Amino acid sequence: MKRQLYLYLFILSTLVAAFTYMYFSKAIAFEKKKNESEQKYLKDSISGISNKLFDADHFSLENNDYAKEYFADYNLQKLMPQIKEALLAYNDDPKGNIYTGQEKLGEQKFIINKIKILNHRWIIADYSDGQYWGDVVLKYFVAKDGKITFQIMDTFIYPKQEY
């Protein structure tokens, strides 16, 4: 009787072990397949975002070979920050940055917040006074002596929106 009990327990434990092995091997295969499909999806997403970023950055001095040729005598890595700093220096004026093309509408002055250098001649920037926001397109020139001058091409201020 004791012998039969051990035999039944042995058979039962063997069956439990076999079913447990099958369950976990299928679970691992399922997880692996799921991870592979998720990894493929993420790679496609990264590729799509990279392509969108490349397209969006098409209009930039760093990616425009013709504009780079125009500044062949300059180090672009040093010139670009100089251009941005020169434009942002006008934010210190008590009347506001003159290159926003806007007069003060309230107590706050208009200052330039963000700048994107499009090519060897144009800059787009956004400005605000805390209540109103706008965009400006500037033309810039870099003289041989390194002096940077700006000229307003067009400016637009958005209507104030009440929420």
Side-chain angles (χ1 to χ4, degrees):
M1 176 91 173
K2 205 175 192 185
R3 216 170 172 195
Q4 281 184 332
L5 181 64
Y6 285 132
L7 179 64
Y8 288 135
L9 286 175
F10 176 73
I11 291 171
L12 183 64
S13 65
T14 305
L15 286 174
V16 168
F19 283 118
T20 303
Y21 172 77
M22 293 298 290
Y23 171 77
F24 283 115
S25 64
K26 297 243 185 213
I28 289 172
F30 175 76
E31 285 294 322
K32 184 177 179 183
K33 186 177 178 182
K34 181 180 161 189
N35 287 342
E36 286 173 356
S37 66
E38 191 173 305
Q39 189 175 25
K40 183 178 184 257
Y41 172 76
L42 292 174
K43 281 183 182 178
D44 290 344
S45 295
I46 290 172
S47 175
I49 290 170
S50 296
N51 290 340
K52 284 182 181 179
L53 180 61
F54 182 75
D55 289 345
D57 233 10
H58 174 73
F59 292 104
S60 68
L61 184 57
E62 299 97 350
N63 294 328
N64 188 333
D65 291 332
Y66 298 115
K68 285 182 186 178
E69 281 183 34
Y70 186 83
F71 286 129
D73 297 339
Y74 297 93
N75 180 352
L76 282 181
Q77 300 305 322
K78 292 181 180 177
L79 181 63
M80 289 176 51
Q82 287 175 342
I83 294 169
K84 289 180 180 182
E85 288 171 15
L87 185 56
L88 291 175
Y90 290 98
N91 284 349
D92 296 334
D93 190 335
K95 294 180 182 177
N97 194 318
I98 60 172
Y99 292 110
T100 61
Q102 301 294 327
E103 297 290 326
K104 287 173 68 170
L105 295 176
E107 295 179 19
Q108 298 293 324
K109 62 184 181 177
F110 281 102
I111 60 170
I112 291 181
N113 301 312
K114 293 183 183 177
I115 300 169
K116 174 137 178 122
I117 301 173
L118 299 177
N119 59 19
H120 65 288
R121 190 60 63 218
W122 297 324
I123 294 173
I124 189 167
D126 85 329
Y127 59 89
S128 74
D129 70 348
Q131 292 183 344
Y132 295 94
W133 287 265
D135 297 321
V136 63
V137 177
L138 301 168
K139 192 181 240 187
Y140 73 98
F141 304 94
V142 179
K144 292 290 181 190
D145 63 355
K147 185 177 181 200
I148 302 167
T149 56
F150 302 96
Q151 176 185 354
I152 299 173
M153 298 301 295
D154 199 5
T155 186
F156 180 79
I157 190 163
Y158 296 100
K160 185 176 180 181
Q161 296 194 1
E162 301 293 328
Y163 292 101

